[in-house]
Amino acid sequence: MAPGLDDGSSLFNFVVRDGNGVKGMVDLGLSTVPKPYVQPPKERIDKQMATRHEGAPIDLSRLDGPDHDEVVKEIVMAAETLGFFQLVNHGVPVDLLESLKDAAHDFFGQPSEKKAVYRKEVSPSPLVKYGTSFVPEKEKALEWKDYISMIYTNDAEALQQWPKECREVALEYLKTSMTMVRRLLEILMGNLGVELDDTKIDGLIGMKMVNMNFYPTCPDPDLTVGVGRHSDMGTLTILLQDGIGGLYVKVAEEIANIGKKGEWVEIPPVPGALVINIGDALQIISNGKYKSAEHRVRTTSAKSRVSVPIFTSPRPSEKIAPLPQVVEKDGMACYREVIFGDYMRNFFGNVHDGKKSLEFAQI
């Protein structure tokens, strides 16, 4: 049954509990933003106040050639400053990326009841979760986003349990991205004095998850957010954006040619590129040398937007702490050792609030 859009509790039940999502609400026909989605003024994204990141993407095909050292320097510099960079010639076929966007639209274009079977409370698989917003039960204002989340264990379980509308292309995306992820980790960890082997790589990215995010059209993007201010909890995030844009990153410390401290910078979509961002786990392991990026997403009134991130992180049982050689160089540890599962529980147990999640591990 359709809710009264001004009745907060029946709207919440319709969107969240019944699994209709933001898309189900938008499909009813909206001319204004329902009250539960109106963000307080300080959380709204003022497009006019943000600058565009005009830096060229990093060309990964230049590794192992005459420009190798320069590319390494670009990657390290981006990780140490903004915590975000774009890659081209990354080894993931561009036609696969296009298929991935189509698959996301196919999945979210289904009737609500087809998607609602994957709600956390009823999902037939512990690997698959469909939901909306981030922690809707605790949020003062909801985020304008629906998502499907698919945890990777092995190929067979992914092909058996992930939604059939997107499983093959999502699995291919994950598998073809791993060579690039490994290269990036070799560069970033090598810069900290660590030589990686398979065991160490597994320690950093033993858990992998593919999400598909759907941001339906919004009648008034100035009042809402697609995703609130947050950093990612893991090691590295690989993100495919579509051509619509709306991703904003906060400048932590002034960066020449990019922005002043506290400013928001839009990461414009680049055809064929993937966006890479540093997560909290890598900030902890590097003792703060690499910066997990605080970012957020603006909604759009023109056309529904999709994005497809791969989240790589340590396994929940893994202990993470600043590397001893980095602590020795820095003179002190900025973070304590934590079991990553405890960090995850804290992360998913709280609403998005910038980089507050890092306080859990701070000394």
Side-chain angles (χ1 to χ4, degrees):
M1 192 181 82
L5 291 178
D6 45 5
D7 174 0
S9 65
S10 69
L11 181 72
F12 185 90
N13 288 338
F14 178 80
V15 172
V16 179
R17 299 225 166 94
D18 302 341
N20 289 288
V22 180
K23 185 175 186 300
M25 176 180 72
V26 169
D27 287 348
L28 296 172
L30 289 180
S31 55
T32 58
V33 173
K35 201 160 169 238
Y37 287 90
V38 175
Q39 294 288 331
K42 72 181 177 67
E43 297 299 342
R44 297 174 194 172
I45 302 173
D46 186 345
K47 214 173 174 180
Q48 311 309 317
M49 293 296 287
T51 52
R52 270 169 77 86
H53 187 294
E54 300 295 0
I58 298 171
D59 183 346
L60 211 58
S61 68
R62 291 164 64 218
L63 283 177
D64 306 325
D67 300 332
H68 179 87
D69 292 350
E70 193 188 321
V71 178
V72 167
K73 204 167 140 191
E74 286 173 12
I75 290 167
V76 168
M77 172 76 90
E80 289 177 346
T81 52
L82 195 59
F84 251 89
F85 52 96
Q86 300 211 60
L87 287 182
V88 290
N89 295 322
H90 37 62
V92 184
V94 173
D95 58 351
L96 173 64
L97 300 181
E98 292 307 311
S99 303
L100 203 53
K101 290 182 253 187
D102 293 342
H105 279 288
D106 289 347
F107 178 81
F108 290 102
Q110 298 180 98
S112 294
E113 57 272 18
K114 289 267 183 75
K115 296 173 284 188
V117 296
Y118 293 109
R119 279 181 304 122
K120 185 171 72 176
E121 302 78 12
V122 296
S123 179
S125 167
L127 307 180
V128 184
K129 178 188 163 192
Y130 166 75
T132 188
S133 200
F134 182 62
V135 193
E137 294 77 12
K138 293 187 178 181
E139 288 161 348
K140 289 191 173 76
L142 298 168
E143 298 178 351
W144 197 271
K145 176 189 93 166
D146 300 331
Y147 66 89
I148 184 86
S149 175
M150 299 168 277
I151 295 170
Y152 178 79
T153 45
N154 57 55
D155 291 7
E157 287 192 344
L159 290 171
Q160 191 181 8
Q161 298 183 36
W162 290 5
K164 67 177 190 308
E165 295 75 20
C166 54
R167 59 189 171 209
E168 285 177 6
V169 69
L171 180 60
E172 189 65 19
Y173 171 49
L174 175 67
K175 289 169 72 175
T176 52
S177 296
M178 282 307 116
T179 306
M180 167 191 65
V181 170
R182 192 179 180 118
R183 289 309 305 266
L184 293 173
L185 286 175
E186 283 167 356
I187 288 164
L188 294 170
M189 299 303 282
N191 180 58
L192 301 176
V194 177
E195 207 168 306
L196 288 180
D197 54 27
D198 288 349
T199 307
K200 284 183 184 145
I201 292 224
D202 192 61
L204 290 166
I205 58 163
M207 188 167 80
K208 302 172 192 72
M209 185 162 80
V210 182
N211 274 27
M212 288 184 163
N213 299 324
F214 188 77
Y215 305 93
T217 51
C218 175
D220 192 347
D222 290 338
L223 297 179
T224 57
V225 297
V227 182
R229 301 174 296 111
H230 72 290
S231 54
D232 294 343
M233 68 173 184
T235 303
L236 288 176
T237 300
I238 298 89
L239 176 77
L240 169 65
Q241 328 192 53
D242 64 13
I244 292 165
L247 175 63
Y248 292 80
V249 183
K250 192 175 188 179
V251 179
E253 297 294 335
E254 183 159 347
I255 310 167
N257 304 325
I258 292 179
K260 293 187 174 68
K261 181 175 179 173
E263 283 185 346
W264 289 91
V265 176
E266 185 176 5
I267 307 291
V270 173
L274 289 169
V275 180
I276 310 295
N277 71 279
I278 307 298
D280 291 350
L282 198 50
Q283 178 160 333
I284 292 167
I285 290 161
S286 69
N287 203 35
K289 191 172 174 65
Y290 299 139
K291 308 290 188 286
S292 67
E294 183 177 341
H295 56 288
R296 57 187 184 172
V297 175
R298 186 179 151 90
T299 57
T300 170
S301 58
K303 204 174 171 191
S304 295
R305 174 180 183 265
V306 293
S307 69
V308 190
I310 296 172
F311 298 108
T312 67
S313 61
R315 294 180 199 277
S317 56
E318 200 78 43
K319 287 178 180 169
I320 62 165
L323 293 161
Q325 56 268 56
V326 181
V327 174
E328 195 180 329
K329 209 168 162 186
D330 293 349
M332 61 175 283
C334 302
Y335 304 96
R336 63 186 176 89
E337 181 181 84
V338 294
I339 296 166
F340 192 67
D342 294 342
Y343 193 87
M344 282 174 64
R345 271 186 289 282
N346 177 68
F347 183 87
F348 286 115
N350 291 291
V351 300
H352 282 149
D353 188 8
K355 290 183 68 167
K356 204 172 191 308
S357 52
L358 266 171
E359 290 175 11
F360 183 80
Q362 245 156 3
I363 292 174

